[in-house]
Amino acid sequence: MSSFAKDFSKAMSQAGTSQFQEAIRQELEFSMKVELDKILSTAPQNEIEHTKKDLEGFKKLFHRFLQEKGPSVDWGKIQRPPEDSIQPYEKIKARGLPDSIASVLNKLVVVKLNGGLGTSMGCKGPKSLIGVRNENTFLDLTVQQIEHLNKTYNTDVPLVLMNSFNTDEDTKKILQKYSHSRVKIYTFNQSRYPRINKESLLPIAKDVSYSGENTEAWYPPGHGDIYASFYNSGLLDRFINEGKEYMFVSNIDNLGATVDLYIMNHLMNPPNGKRCEFVMEVTNKTRADVKGGTLTQYENKLRLVEIAQVPKPHVDEFKSVSKFKIFNTNNLWISLTAIKRLQEQNAIDMEIIVNPKTLDGGLNVIQLETAVGAAVKSFENSLGINVPRSRFLPVKTTSDLLLVMSNLYSLNAGSLTMSEKREFPTVPLVKLGSSFTKVQDYLRRFESIPDMLELDHLTVSGDVTFGKNVALKGTVIIIANHGDRIDIPPGAVLENKIVSGNLRILDH
């Protein structure tokens, strides 16, 4: 069958062979259907219904994958968004809040994307269960934030977690600890799709199980899957029937993504009387964000363009901070009734992200994914809001973790805010080397988290440890060469210093 895939790609590159292309395409779709039917036939009785929904969803995605050719945007059609389509946050905030903020909040559902594992930080299990501050995990902080909201305004804002098959079991176990908190917590699972062999374009799974040797045969298809999964779970209808109107979606590892009363008020009480169905929070790019997806105007609609969709000759232009000044934070506010309408019309259009992977045994596979923000063009009256950088505080690495654990931030009711003692609002640039990648190694190397209030830039490489009560200021670079070790002594103050070579402090 692998010759089909080769013929297919060859055919796609030859003009004037549309009949041949179509024949190949149909052949591939037929072979896929046969394989998926075989997989479905292995499902136990109680799993048939949702396995069928998953495989149907995958079939649609695969069909679209076979139709699309090359980069999905025509660069010539990309324009800067019109002035009024991206509003400054200050303007939204200046409108103030109504007396009845509780009635506005009661229309809200908070959804956190909780499908990811902590593997990139050397942790087993869901990423949301990693401790980030005073023993609190991402999930603890999220629950504390919403509980604080519900207590302060006497509201009933629920928390919904979109889990994946990788995180569902562990997350549900831990949820019992919040049973007495003032937050109703719901979960639903994103779909489980089969990875396909890069050569044959057929599933590598032989049956429906995803344990043992079959673990690598399945994947969660990106957060764009939220619309269909939320709809299929029954939760969307439930919340609409309860009178909820909007959901606020964000990544659970973005500690800046808290419920913003001014944005929620803007949604419920728009100044022009016309409600937005979709709001994307964007923020100004820095040099560290050049790869982030950006909002553009495309065929008279707001459209999210990701770096993977950009034709090669234009990648540098896409990265330019002067031309595309903003990027998507993935904090999104979306109308529930609009999701229901578009889902029922099968009208949510998201570009396919083709994600190639090499499995442990060396097999090359691809997984087809979509991104939640890409649906912006399917909704009516979409809006971008240019928010302060403080609403984008993702923890992807231990370098990020060092920032949020430090005295740069103070913690109040689950929310992190930049310390008033820091004289300028920018976050220092921190780069910790590979000895710090895993959370447990990182924790072992710091006896206590250094004072970083006056830090601009920190680079650490090699075998380095930090004693208690170290202060780092200005630009600090610490490099232990291979075979050397550097112990920064307790109480040391490093200001605009480069430390290299071998510095061992031994007790005698």
Side-chain angles (χ1 to χ4, degrees):
M1 178 63 204
S2 67
S3 60
F4 263 123
K6 284 174 184 156
D7 289 349
F8 176 66
S9 54
K10 194 173 165 190
M12 291 300 252
S13 62
Q14 291 169 349
T17 52
S18 57
Q19 278 176 310
F20 179 59
Q21 286 175 22
E22 193 48 43
I24 295 275
R25 210 180 271 139
Q26 285 175 3
E27 181 65 49
L28 282 164
E29 289 208 50
F30 177 74
S31 306
M32 176 60 79
K33 183 183 179 308
V34 170
E35 290 301 311
L36 294 178
D37 286 347
K38 278 186 203 162
I39 291 172
L40 184 61
S41 69
T42 68
Q45 197 59 41
N46 61 339
E47 282 180 29
I48 287 178
E49 201 45 50
H50 75 244
T51 304
K52 196 172 182 178
K53 274 184 183 164
D54 281 356
L55 296 181
E56 282 301 321
F58 175 74
K59 216 182 290 180
K60 275 187 202 163
L61 197 59
F62 184 69
H63 173 78
R64 280 181 46 216
F65 163 69
L66 294 181
Q67 303 289 338
E68 289 182 8
K69 314 184 254 308
S72 52
V73 290
D74 175 348
W75 193 253
K77 290 182 182 175
I78 286 182
Q79 296 167 308
R80 274 196 190 164
E83 285 297 307
D84 59 348
S85 65
I86 299 181
Q87 299 271 343
Y89 177 75
E90 292 65 36
K91 190 175 168 186
I92 307 269
K93 192 174 180 178
R95 296 184 59 215
L97 295 172
D99 298 335
S100 57
I101 194 67
S103 60
V104 169
L105 273 175
N106 273 327
K107 303 289 183 189
L108 181 68
V109 174
V110 175
V111 181
K112 292 286 183 184
L113 304 172
N114 185 46
L117 293 166
T119 36
S120 64
M121 291 168 77
C123 294
K124 282 193 166 69
K127 185 172 180 184
S128 58
L129 306 185
I130 294 175
V132 279
R133 181 89 186 207
N134 309 354
E135 307 297 310
N136 289 303
T137 64
F138 291 104
L139 188 53
D140 291 335
L141 295 176
T142 303
V143 172
Q144 287 165 27
Q145 286 164 22
I146 300 174
E147 182 169 45
H148 177 66
L149 212 54
N150 285 336
K151 282 178 174 170
T152 306
Y153 298 99
N154 193 24
T155 49
D156 180 22
V157 177
L159 169 63
V160 181
L161 301 172
M162 178 165 91
N163 299 338
S164 67
F165 63 91
N166 289 320
T167 62
D168 189 50
E169 203 176 314
D170 290 338
T171 302
K172 280 182 174 158
K173 276 183 203 154
I174 215 89
L175 288 181
Q176 293 157 2
K177 80 186 242 196
Y178 309 115
S179 55
H180 298 297
S181 67
R182 194 170 157 182
V183 186
K184 290 190 186 129
I185 304 178
Y186 303 84
T187 64
F188 69 99
N189 262 6
Q190 66 187 112
S191 309
R192 178 164 73 93
Y193 282 1
R195 283 177 168 155
I196 52 182
N197 183 311
K198 195 179 172 187
E199 290 296 313
S200 68
L201 297 184
L202 289 175
I204 59 170
K206 294 290 167 256
D207 59 53
V208 84
S209 73
Y210 51 98
S211 53
E213 59 189 40
N214 236 358
T215 10
E216 289 199 311
W218 301 90
Y219 70 100
H223 40 54
D225 184 54
I226 188 169
Y227 304 106
S229 299
F230 195 43
Y231 180 88
N232 289 338
S233 73
L235 284 173
L236 179 64
D237 279 336
R238 175 180 180 155
F239 289 130
I240 290 173
N241 294 338
E242 286 177 11
K244 305 289 186 195
E245 295 188 35
Y246 281 95
M247 66 178 188
F248 171 47
V249 185
S250 63
N251 299 356
I252 200 158
D253 65 6
N254 178 6
L255 294 175
T258 55
V259 171
D260 187 282
L261 302 179
Y262 299 100
I263 295 178
M264 188 60 194
N265 180 47
H266 184 84
L267 289 169
M268 294 298 296
N269 305 304
N272 61 0
K274 198 176 169 203
R275 285 212 181 163
C276 297
E277 290 188 345
F278 193 108
V279 163
M280 176 181 287
E281 293 184 36
V282 295
T283 194
N284 292 344
K285 270 187 189 179
T286 66
R287 296 268 171 234
D289 313 305
V290 290
K291 291 184 177 175
T294 194
L295 264 189
T296 61
Q297 172 92 341
Y298 194 91
E299 295 175 340
N300 295 323
K301 285 278 212 181
L302 272 187
R303 175 155 174 171
L304 179 69
V305 176
E306 301 279 3
I307 195 162
Q309 295 160 250
V310 177
K312 278 234 165 46
H314 298 285
V315 166
D316 285 343
E317 194 182 338
F318 173 83
K319 287 179 175 179
S320 138
V321 179
S322 54
K323 180 160 184 183
F324 298 107
K325 293 184 166 70
I326 50 153
F327 72 97
N328 166 30
T329 63
N330 222 33
N331 301 347
L332 310 168
W333 304 75
I334 313 172
S335 155
L336 297 180
T337 49
I339 294 174
K340 181 176 167 68
R341 179 190 81 235
L342 292 170
Q343 193 56 39
E344 287 174 352
Q345 293 169 353
N346 197 17
I348 294 183
D349 176 22
M350 294 171 283
E351 290 77 25
I352 294 173
I353 300 160
V354 179
N355 191 351
K357 297 265 181 189
T358 303
L359 302 186
D360 287 348
L363 182 67
N364 289 322
V365 297
I366 51 178
Q367 45 191 54
L368 306 178
E369 302 176 7
T370 55
V372 58
V376 58
K377 64 178 181 291
S378 304
F379 289 82
E380 292 302 315
N381 204 22
S382 297
L383 179 71
I385 298 181
N386 190 340
V387 297
R389 181 74 184 200
S390 57
R391 292 193 56 74
F392 184 66
L393 187 56
V395 179
K396 303 287 182 198
T397 62
T398 49
S399 301
D400 300 330
L401 195 55
L402 181 62
L403 290 169
V404 300
M405 285 180 136
S406 76
N407 59 348
L408 284 165
Y409 291 96
S410 49
L411 179 65
N412 183 15
S415 298
L416 288 179
T417 44
M418 179 75 79
S419 167
E420 288 172 4
K421 292 178 187 162
R422 177 145 174 105
E423 287 179 6
F424 31 93
T426 55
V427 178
L429 197 61
V430 172
K431 293 179 182 170
L432 299 178
S434 55
S435 315
F436 290 79
T437 304
K438 294 183 173 177
V439 173
Q440 63 206 56
D441 293 340
Y442 151 88
L443 290 171
R444 203 168 38 78
R445 291 179 176 278
F446 288 99
E447 268 193 69
S448 69
I449 302 296
D451 171 345
M452 291 167 42
L453 278 176
E454 295 175 46
L455 180 70
D456 297 323
H457 181 134
L458 172 68
T459 296
V460 183
S461 174
D463 185 0
V464 179
T465 64
F466 292 79
K468 273 203 166 101
N469 305 324
V470 170
L472 304 171
K473 302 177 181 195
T475 296
V476 178
I477 298 170
I478 305 170
I479 297 174
N481 296 324
H482 187 66
D484 290 346
R485 173 165 151 189
I486 295 178
D487 295 326
I488 303 298
V493 177
L494 299 181
E495 183 167 4
N496 296 325
K497 288 277 186 288
I498 297 178
V499 183
S500 63
N502 197 351
L503 177 68
R504 297 204 64 171
I505 312 269
L506 303 170
D507 291 331
H508 63 268

